[in-house]
């Protein structure tokens, strides 16, 4: 039997309208545009201001655009996986809510959580349903309302995160394109450095947990930074070497957008130029599971069939990994 691969055949995204600038943040906490730009590289981020809207709000926007752009009827979709750390509710899954909101009825859907590596984990998982020929049209969406767990009195975390969503459609191909290889990893020792202390089964919500601000993101920036720099670069270089990809033959690195310095360190280790790296951290900040599809969405018209593309992430868990894709279509032919 001919080997089936999963290939991305379309990209959609949605970012909220409200722009939270560094100057506005400087009025909330003791920080400055200069500090945030030098240490993180973020100028502004998008925030969901609509009342009683969660991650499914942006996720639905991204999936709707994806369906329209790819001329796909909701009935044709077999599976939808939503990567998120900020689900609308503990249950049901945000994937179920997005599916309902866009009219997907002939499918199953579930959420997947792997911190900032969620999209990569979900893409890898989705590709297996295609490769085994059990599912033909699979949507992977990364959707986050990070602002719902950010403490806007904590200057160490509040400049970093933003809200948004991106989605891709995966379909089978027998051509020499698509998801070629992936390496995903975890090391649970890192779980103490980046997590949400309360609200789960270990520490259910109570007045005490609220008083102690334990529902917000807790991050020890420096250990996370050190691990991110080494692990994201290691796995990306390993992927290049394994597939004989050189800096000259790599078209694009699509890195998780957590910190400009982490992105630059990864690119340096890979020996590639900044022009080969998709970077939009300045405008959207760290949207956790949505950073990678937001990059692909913005760069879609520059992507060409056969391009060697490496996606790389690092996040809470710790989780990290890289996926090597031979890009499947000429983005400039896609209707806007
Ligand atoms: O996506 C999930 C994975 N997450 C990451 O990859 C994040 C990795 N970590 C980082 O990106 C960086 O560690 C941060 C951006 C979080 C922090 O940058 P840093 O260069 O590690 O700063 P730091 O925590 O060592 O703080 C340096 C100084 C401290 O002051 P002192 O003790 O030197 O006087 C902080 O209090 O900067 C201070 N500081 C700030 N100053 C102005 C911390 N946050 C701010 C701020 N504005 N927003």
């Amino acid at each position: 039997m001919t080997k089936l691969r999963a290939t991305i055949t379309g990209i959609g995204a949605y970012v909220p309208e409200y722009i939270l600038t560094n100057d506005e943040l400087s009025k909330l906490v003791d920080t400055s545009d200069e500090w945030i730009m030098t240490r993180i590289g973020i100028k502004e981020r998008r925030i969901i201001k609509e009342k009683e809207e969660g991650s499914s709000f942006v996720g639905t926007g991204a999936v709707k655009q994806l369906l329209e752009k790819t001329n796909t009827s909701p009935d044709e979709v077999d599976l939808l996986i939503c990567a998120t750390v900020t689900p609308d509710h503990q249950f049901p899954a945000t994937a179920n809510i997005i599916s309902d909101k866009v009219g997907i009825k002939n499918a199953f859907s579930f959420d997947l959580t792997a911190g900032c590596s969620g999209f990569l984990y979900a893409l890898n998982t989705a590709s297996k349903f295609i490769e085994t020929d059990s599912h033909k049209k699979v949507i992977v969406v990364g959707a986050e309302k990070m602002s719902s767990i950010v403490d806007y009195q904590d200057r160490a975390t509040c400049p970093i995160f933003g809200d948004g969503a991106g989605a891709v459609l995966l379909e089978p191909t027998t051509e020499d394109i698509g998801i070629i290889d992936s390496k995903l990893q975890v090391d649970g020792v890192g779980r103490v450095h980046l997590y949400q202390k309360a609200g789960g089964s270990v520490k259910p919500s109570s007045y005490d947990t609220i008083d102690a601000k334990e529902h917000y993101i807790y991050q020890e920036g420096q250990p996370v930074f050190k691990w991110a720099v080494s692990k994201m670069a290691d796995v990306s270089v390993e992927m290049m070497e394994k597939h004989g990809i050189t800096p000259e033959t790599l078209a694009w690195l699509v890195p998780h957008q957590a910190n400009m310095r982490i992105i630059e360190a990864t690119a340096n280790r890979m020996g590639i130029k900044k022009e080969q790296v998709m970077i939009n951290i300045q405008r959207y900040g760290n949207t956790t599971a949505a950073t990678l599809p937001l990059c692909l969405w913005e760069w879609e018209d520059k992507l060409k069939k056969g391009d060697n593309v490496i996606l790389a992430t690092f996040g809470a868990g710790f989780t990290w990994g890289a996926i090597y894709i031979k890009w499947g279509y000429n983005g400039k032919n896609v209707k806007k």
Side-chain angles (χ1 to χ4, degrees), residues 25-328:
L25 271 180
S26 312
K27 292 179 190 131
L28 301 174
V29 288
D30 180 16
T31 190
S32 64
D33 177 58
E34 204 242 325
W35 192 94
I36 301 171
M37 280 307 286
T38 324
R39 306 296 272 242
I40 321 178
I42 299 171
K43 194 82 193 159
E44 58 191 40
R45 62 295 285 146
R46 302 297 181 105
I47 302 293
I48 297 174
K49 284 286 186 182
E50 286 75 3
K51 279 213 165 53
E52 299 202 15
E53 293 288 5
S55 297
S56 74
F57 173 69
V58 283
T60 299
V63 173
K64 265 192 188 151
Q65 188 190 69
L66 175 69
L67 294 173
E68 274 164 29
K69 276 175 72 182
T70 55
N71 241 332
T72 306
S73 151
D75 288 342
E76 296 174 80
V77 177
D78 302 308
L79 164 64
L80 182 146
I81 307 177
C82 177
T84 185
V85 299
T86 51
D88 281 17
H89 309 281
Q90 288 268 20
F91 66 90
T94 300
N96 307 157
I97 299 166
I98 295 172
S99 294
D100 181 50
K101 286 183 174 173
V102 301
I104 291 174
K105 299 287 179 197
N106 296 326
F108 78 111
S109 66
F110 60 90
D111 286 358
L112 187 154
T113 297
C116 295
S117 305
F119 185 79
L120 220 57
Y121 271 51
L123 194 63
N124 176 276
T125 304
S127 72
K128 305 304 169 196
F129 288 88
I130 303 265
E131 287 166 12
T132 52
D133 207 16
S134 63
H135 296 71
K136 301 249 180 278
K137 286 186 194 281
V138 179
I139 290 177
V140 178
V141 51
E144 303 283 9
K145 184 181 173 184
M146 295 306 293
S147 60
S148 64
I149 54 169
V150 166
D151 177 1
Y152 287 97
Q153 292 177 343
D154 175 15
R155 69 176 185 169
T157 53
C158 74
I160 300 174
F161 298 96
D163 302 340
V168 298
L169 180 64
L170 282 182
E171 293 183 82
T173 180
T174 51
E175 285 185 65
D176 188 22
I177 52 169
I179 296 176
I180 308 288
D181 196 9
S182 68
K183 178 159 184 185
L184 304 178
Q185 290 211 247
V186 67
D187 192 334
V189 297
R191 68 188 184 279
V192 295
H193 300 302
L194 176 52
Y195 71 121
Q196 192 178 19
K197 291 186 173 176
S201 55
V202 164
K203 229 184 207 196
S205 314
S206 68
Y207 290 112
D208 290 344
T209 62
I210 290 169
D211 287 344
K213 296 185 161 205
E214 289 178 340
H215 297 269
Y216 293 126
I217 296 165
Y218 171 81
Q219 174 169 265
E220 293 160 11
Q222 289 187 1
V224 181
F225 186 92
K226 277 186 202 140
W227 273 72
V229 163
S230 78
K231 294 300 180 188
M232 220 163 92
D234 284 352
V235 74
S236 306
V237 168
E238 192 183 324
M239 197 55 82
M240 282 177 89
E241 286 172 359
K242 183 172 171 196
H243 293 279
I245 303 167
T246 63
E248 291 71 36
T249 58
L250 181 77
W252 296 104
L253 167 69
V254 192
H256 174 51
Q257 314 280 307
N259 187 314
M260 188 71 92
R261 291 181 287 146
I262 299 174
I263 296 172
E264 283 168 358
T266 305
N268 284 342
R269 276 277 306 285
M270 294 168 80
I272 60 173
K273 299 193 205 82
K274 218 170 169 185
E275 296 75 54
Q276 290 166 277
V277 188
M278 296 187 190
I279 304 174
N280 59 15
I281 188 173
Q282 312 90 322
R283 274 168 290 123
Y284 302 126
N286 182 349
T287 54
T288 305
T291 59
L292 299 184
L294 275 176
C295 282
L296 292 173
W297 173 68
E298 277 207 280
W299 268 262
E300 184 180 31
D301 61 352
K302 295 190 179 59
L303 284 158
K304 294 194 281 295
K305 189 168 181 179
D307 273 355
N308 289 321
V309 179
I310 289 181
L311 279 60
T313 54
F314 183 86
F318 292 138
T319 54
W320 67 95
I323 287 188
Y324 165 38
I325 298 178
K326 244 188 197 310
W327 196 253

